[in-house]
Amino acid sequence: MKSALLAAAFLFFSGGVHLFFGTPNDLSIADLLGNAGGFSATLFWQGALPRAAMAVLVGAGLGLAGSAIQEITRNPLASPVTLGTVSGAWTALLLATIFAPALAANHGLWICLFGGGLVTALILTVAGFARMDGLVVVILGIAANLFLGGVGVVLALLNDQTVSALFVWGAGDLTQTGWTEPTWLAPQIAVAAVALLALSRPLTLMRLGQGIAEGRGLATIPLSIGVMALAVWLTAASVAAVGAIGFIGLIAPNLVRLLGVQSTFMRLLLGTIAGAGALLLTDSIPVALADWTKTLIPSGSSAALIGAPALILIAFRHMRADRAGSFQLPGARKIMSPPLLCLILAACPVTAVLAIGFGGSPDGPVWISSAPPALRDMLLSLRWPSVLAAAAAGTAMATAGAILQRLLRNPLASPDVLGVTSGATFAIVVAVLLAGLPPAETAVPSAAFGALAVLGLLALLWRRRDTPPTLLILTGIALAALLDALVNFALAKGGDEANTLLTWLTGATFLTEPTDAVMLSVCSILVLSAALFARRWLTLLSLGEATAAARGLGILRARQGMLVLVSIATASVIAWVGPISFAGLLAPHAAAMLGARTAGQQLIVSAAIGCCLLVTAELIGRIAFYPNQIAAGAIATLIGGAYLFGVLLLGMARRKTAVL
Amino acid sequence: MRPFRWLLILTVILTFAGTPEPAFATDRLTIRDSRGEQHFNTVPERVIALNWAMAEHLIDLEVPLIGVADPEGYNEWVSVPALPDGLVDLGKRDAPNLERLLMLKPDLILLADDQGPYASRFEKIAPVLHFNLFREDHDNAEKARQVFTALGRFFGKEALAARKLADMDRRIEARKTELSTAYNGVLPAVTLVRFADEKRVIIYGDNSMTQPALLGLGLTPGYPVPNSRWGLAFKPVTALGTLKDGDVLYIEPFSKKDLLFGTALWQEMPFVKAGHFHALPALWTYGGALSIGRAADTIADTLLAATRQ
């Protein structure tokens, strides 16, 4: 009862704050009650009040969705955001808006339902029902978010002016101009809420464990699917109405957990109230600042800015090492045959030659010999820096990924998942957009600073030998969310700065200076050589701390050395090319799948794969949409995401995911 | 002491001689861009503009272009002055296609604003001129005029450039008189906006290219937007509710009209209720020097049409 009162007090306090800032200054309560006040009263009744109502509805819907998902998964990190529901719904809507605008305008909810449901179902199926309480499912969700984010960026680049308005909305903005949306959303939330609250009794049974619940005659699988479907519905409805506000669904159930409520019904109810209160409170920031800032602050960004640090705190309080679990990707070969190794190594020069040789033309790709002889040398001299930069970026990211996967003993670790990429990107975005520094001169130092800051944070968290690696991955996830909030904020700002930033954010190689390409190559070769030199450390570290220490390895020193290598690789790629997602995740895994078992072999093979991936992406980006060019990083994200989910689904089909 | 004094004077003279900053040099084939003086032996004939405002400048100067970045986007968003037929598409403005550029064998590439860092890359292909058109720390409209004049001089069209600017100023002055008569000498405050969607709006203010058009017509800006690089503020539509009087003009196209204009909130907006809300035909608000005149013309046309009703 006490906790219910507390939640209600929180809701009323937040509502009061929201309306206090939202109400026009010249409006008194007497005016409102006396039906006077003229237009200021209209602004209150048709603007401020519907906005508060919308915050309550969306917050309640997401809070309930998050609580229900956590009841089913028993995972304090599962939520509509971390399971990819929000990004799935949002990407589907973005695609529909571009390719079928009429459909998107009239059936937004169904499109969001389809996209959100599809991605969530995919992630839960791939992770496996039994492991929903661990980190695996969350990391898969983050990988899906990265991939879908890449899709969104490619779409935005190809439709720059048209989509920029959509991105504003994508960041989640609660502005209202009447009661149309609240009255549309209210019944949806109400129906789903009643259904979910009615299911609280069987959900209580579920908590006893799947076996016991089934023993008492409960159909656990249909129940889980039903609850998930309702949660997806709640999320899709709010995305369709106000855009991608997601973090509330993660914060609300964890706020309730702090209260220590026992009954499932109360947990769901309080999660709903806490969600409404949390969104009201975070949305008060943009409302309060509306008159002071030149630009609009998306509600979703302010929610993420507060939610991301909350996520780290929650993770550190509740994630225990034994819960984290390791995750094995399916279908690996046992050993690597020498011919295969030669083939992979030979692929690098071959793709590089193809990438330098082929160019785009209005009639499709053409070989260099078709160019006028006088221009050939010039053409080649324009192409090689891009190809070299792509190759070096791929090598560096793959090496960083291989090191991290061994270090953290998690095949889903990579610089982007861990937040090193986000840290460096974050620093550049802050330097360019907030501090107004020129991008060209400040990119390298900012990126280095950002990567090192994350490195420092990781080293700090990892001072104790028994800190589970999964906590570091969570920190990365939170950092990535912070970055997303900031980038959305930047894109919402409009103007050409945002567009330039967007191009850079996708990892573009087409305008790389020859000197930069050479510098990047030197860095990536140095990092790869250093890692190869220290391969014994990697081998020992991947056996586990205890084994490594028993063999006389200075764990902390080795870890720190490896982290320095990772941050050098990541920072140089980001500074000279831009953030490249997925290469660091995909290449080391593909190498292991092909049978590269020893640390040295895995480093070399994954570097070769990363190199080929980025060079191929560079070539595709250059010729596929001629004369428009798509950044190599964006294409690599698409290839990488398709590969990851392809492999996971294939593994499922072969029922080889027993290791889960 | 005497030799020292002479030395001092000499130093001062040399120092100042080294750092003069005229907007353009006296020699016809020297032009000052954002990086300093650029020298040319002949007037470029195969010119490429990778920035829409620069393309606008050249079309207004009647200098033939051979290629632009994203002509489709130009036609959709800028539209006036119309692009000549047969221009080659060089890709998006923030990712111009170097190879296609090379195939065209240009002898001048025009860049602006954020394309600055790429200048050295383009210089491998052809001489480059890069101008900082939009900056927070200068007057964007004044800068556009300077660049327009400098380009006119550079392409041997000094008289044309001067005439077009003078024509524009005269025309704005004439429209001002026309407006003044129509409004009996009491001109309204005017707020110029572009809707991003049905809930969010871009409001133009200090240092925007439309501000000098408003001021030139004798109108006062209605919504205070402080100086910034692009001269705009991005706000929820409810922010327009703070406008107590004056006219609001919105730039077409706005595809979600029905979703906004039908709401009770919008119908109650003081300027809507008073019938002081009008559409402006498509207008590129980040354009070249003559875009100020075009903006002034459409604003005057719209307001005059409104007063006649």
Side-chain angles (χ1 to χ4, degrees), chain A residues 110-362:
Chain A
W110 296 108
I111 293 165
C112 287
L113 261 179
F114 173 74
L118 186 72
V119 174
T120 312
L122 193 68
I123 286 168
L124 290 177
T125 329
V126 165
F129 190 77
R131 295 301 290 260
M132 285 199 294
D133 57 343
L135 196 70
V136 172
V137 69
V138 175
I139 293 183
L140 282 172
I142 299 302
N145 288 346
L146 277 175
F147 171 66
L148 294 170
V151 174
V153 164
V154 171
L155 291 174
L157 284 176
L158 285 174
N159 302 274
D160 56 8
Q161 300 281 350
T162 330
V163 183
S164 54
L166 263 176
F167 263 92
V168 177
W169 185 45
D173 179 38
L174 286 167
T175 304
Q176 293 297 312
T177 53
W179 289 93
T180 324
E181 283 181 359
T183 45
W184 176 82
L185 190 60
Q188 319 237 11
I189 304 274
V191 171
V194 168
L196 276 173
L197 290 173
L199 287 173
S200 56
R201 186 171 289 275
L203 276 174
T204 312
L205 269 180
M206 280 280 282
R207 285 187 78 80
L208 299 173
Q210 209 181 336
I212 300 174
E214 271 169 6
R216 299 209 187 160
L218 186 70
T220 54
I221 303 277
L223 176 69
S224 304
I225 292 175
V227 170
M228 276 297 175
L230 285 170
V232 169
W233 180 15
L234 282 170
T235 311
S238 44
V239 171
V242 294
I245 298 177
F247 250 89
I248 298 298
L250 184 59
I251 301 169
N254 283 294
L255 281 177
V256 173
R257 185 165 288 111
L258 296 178
L259 297 174
V261 188
Q262 287 306 316
S263 113
T264 309
F265 179 82
M266 279 310 274
R267 264 200 307 271
L268 289 177
L269 187 65
L270 292 184
T272 316
I273 297 174
L279 188 54
L280 274 170
L281 202 60
T282 49
D283 190 48
S284 298
I285 299 172
V287 168
L289 296 180
D291 291 340
W292 302 100
T293 51
K294 270 184 282 193
T295 185
L296 181 141
I297 303 168
S299 319
S301 295
S302 82
L305 284 175
I306 294 173
L311 175 64
I312 302 185
L313 288 178
I314 292 161
F316 274 77
R317 285 179 74 115
H318 295 286
M319 274 318 244
R320 294 196 311 274
D322 55 322
R323 277 263 212 90
S326 67
F327 179 71
Q328 200 114 32
L329 286 156
R333 279 163 169 266
K334 288 284 176 283
I335 49 156
M336 180 156 233
S337 61
L340 188 61
L341 184 65
C342 294
L343 197 71
I344 291 167
L345 292 181
C348 288
V350 171
T351 47
V353 166
L354 288 177
I356 293 179
F358 273 110
S361 82

